[in-house]
């Protein structure tokens, strides 16, 4: 009766990886897969049946090059997946990841000039990628590359292409985290040289996260995200207190999922209880939606009459 935080399947957004040629299980993430387009459609149907609010789509292209050309193909794996899901008439919010790292041969989130990631040369590519996703049926685009001014560049492009109704969920405070390891294996987006510390955030900083969020809100982000979730619950709480009116999303990332699964497989923790406790903690910290690989199993747990 006096419970302050209640978890519901509608709080969840389920990440789905899509590929034409490399479907299969993801190393380090039991029960997570790289799906074909048909498989992604079935996963989306399952997410809808479980009561999740949305899915977040990541594309793995057929081939990669220095500028991530495949990311800008209107018949690429993500546009085709969006059309397949839209045509199936699912009542799910379709969110797409907008970043070049799984499309570039070097694995960086943008184009490289003189050995360095060029922020400004990357912006038009992200804007174009977002427009193509919107053209293909995305409801929300989620730029994850932490490029400065990516939100305003994408907003301008979407508005000029008559996509005023497509929203932007910005990965505003994304830390340079060790917890992305399994994801990089899943999406094949590990940097081939250097790291992402010039643009992703230092785990030591919380005030800087608030500054990043403020800039994204100013640029027109409809929703903001903090990522990862568990090691940054304090940042989630501060953002919620500072902007009570802005939808706040947290990404319970791949390494967080793997850690819990690994412990559960050894029977070190009670898996179902741990999943619900972790997700509840993220909601309690102040996130209103959670992107989580646990979405389907957590929704099923919550949908059981005994819970
Ligand atoms: C791409 C991107 C990453 C994740 C989401 N989008 C990886 C990275 O920045 O290296 C990580 C998600 C996860 O670990 O679950 N920029």
């Amino acid at each position: 009766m006096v419970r302050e935080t209640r978890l519901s399947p509608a709080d969840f957004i389920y990440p789905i990886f899509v590929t034409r040629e490399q479907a299969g299980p993801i190393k380090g993430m039991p029960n997570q897969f790289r799906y074909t387009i048909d498989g992604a459609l079935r996963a989306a149907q399952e997410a809808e049946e479980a009561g999740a609010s949305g899915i977040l789509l990541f594309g793995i292209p057929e081939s990669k090059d220095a500028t991530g050309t495949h990311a800008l193909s209107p018949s690429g794996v993500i546009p085709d997946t969006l059309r397949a899901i839209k045509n199936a008439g699912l009542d799910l919010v379709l969110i797409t990841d907008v970043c070049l790292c799984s499309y570039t041969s070097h694995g960086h989130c943008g184009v490289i000039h003189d050995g360095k990631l060029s922020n400004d040369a990357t912006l038009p590519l992200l804007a174009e990628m977002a427009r193509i996703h919107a053209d293909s049926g995305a409801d929300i685009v989620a730029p994850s590359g932490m490029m400065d001014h990516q939100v305003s560049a994408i907003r301008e492009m979407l508005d000029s292409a008559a996509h005023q109704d497509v929203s932007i969920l910005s990965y505003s405070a994304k830390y340079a985290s060790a917890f992305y390891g399994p994801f990089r294996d899943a999406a094949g987006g590990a940097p081939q040289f250097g790291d992402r510390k010039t643009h992703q955030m230092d785990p030591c900083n919380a005030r800087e996260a608030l500054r990043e969020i403020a800039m994204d809100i100013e640029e027109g982000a409809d929703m903001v995200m903090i990522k990862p979730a568990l090691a940054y619950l304090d940042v989630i709480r501060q953002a919620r207190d500072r902007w009570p009116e802005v939808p706040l999303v947290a990404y319970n990332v791949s390494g967080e999922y793997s850690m819990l699964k690994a412990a559960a497989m050894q029977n070190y923790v009670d898996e179902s209880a741990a999943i619900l406790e972790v997700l509840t903690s993220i909601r309690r910290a102040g996130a209103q939606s959670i992107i989580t690989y646990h979405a389907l199993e957590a929704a099923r747990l919550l949908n059981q009459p005994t819970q």
Side-chain angles (χ1 to χ4, degrees), residues 58 97 99 101 109 144 171 174 179-180 183-184 196 200 227 251 253-254 293:
F58 292 97
D97 188 77
C99 183
C101 63
C109 302
S144 67
Y171 287 63
K174 175 172 176 180
F179 291 102
Y180 306 149
F183 172 95
R184 289 181 185 174
R196 305 212 205 288
Q200 296 187 351
K227 170 185 173 186
Y251 198 144
V253 299
S254 57
Y293 303 95

Side-chain angles (χ1 to χ4, degrees), residues 30-114:
N31 277 334
Q32 303 300 317
F33 302 88
R34 282 183 294 266
Y35 289 103
T36 59
I37 295 179
D38 284 348
L41 176 58
R42 281 192 296 275
Q45 276 158 342
E46 271 186 71
E48 184 185 65
E49 279 155 25
S53 285
I55 54 172
L56 173 59
L57 294 170
F58 292 97
I60 301 149
E62 292 83 280
S63 63
K64 303 175 188 238
D65 60 20
T67 55
T69 307
H70 266 283
L72 306 187
S73 164
S75 56
V77 67
I78 290 298
D80 280 357
T81 305
L82 286 164
R83 281 186 288 269
I85 297 176
K86 276 285 169 199
N87 288 342
L90 294 192
D91 186 25
L92 267 176
V93 179
L94 303 188
I95 311 172
T96 58
D97 188 77
V98 174
C99 183
L100 295 176
C101 63
S102 63
Y103 296 86
T104 52
S105 42
H106 43 70
H108 280 286
C109 302
V111 289
I112 302 289
H113 283 170
D114 299 330

Side-chain angles (χ1 to χ4, degrees), residues 133-150:
H133 291 180
D135 284 348
S136 315
D139 300 303
I140 300 178
V141 291
S144 67
M146 288 292 279
M147 297 297 110
D148 288 344
H149 306 299
Q150 59 183 9

Side-chain angles (χ1 to χ4, degrees), residues 158-264:
L158 291 177
D159 287 354
S160 71
H163 287 305
Q164 290 89 347
D165 294 341
V166 172
S167 307
I168 300 176
L169 161 60
S170 183
Y171 287 63
S172 305
K174 175 172 176 180
Y175 285 87
S177 169
F179 291 102
Y180 306 149
F183 172 95
R184 289 181 185 174
D185 190 58
Q192 300 302 304
F193 62 89
D195 55 38
R196 305 212 205 288
K197 290 181 182 166
T198 56
H199 49 104
Q200 296 187 351
M201 285 190 43
D202 180 351
C204 303
N205 289 1
R207 291 190 295 267
E208 187 186 2
L210 301 180
R211 203 167 153 239
E212 292 277 3
I213 294 169
M215 287 192 283
D216 279 0
I217 294 172
E218 183 74 13
E219 287 181 36
D222 300 278
M223 296 162 233
V224 297
M225 189 201 301
I226 289 164
K227 170 185 173 186
L230 293 181
Y232 301 92
L233 293 175
D234 59 319
V235 181
I236 296 175
R237 168 47 56 198
Q238 290 185 58
R240 165 52 69 229
D241 289 344
R242 177 86 66 102
W243 294 282
E245 71 284 10
V246 178
L248 180 62
V249 177
Y251 198 144
N252 177 216
V253 299
S254 57
E256 299 176 318
Y257 176 88
S258 300
M259 228 171 19
L260 197 160
K261 284 285 172 189

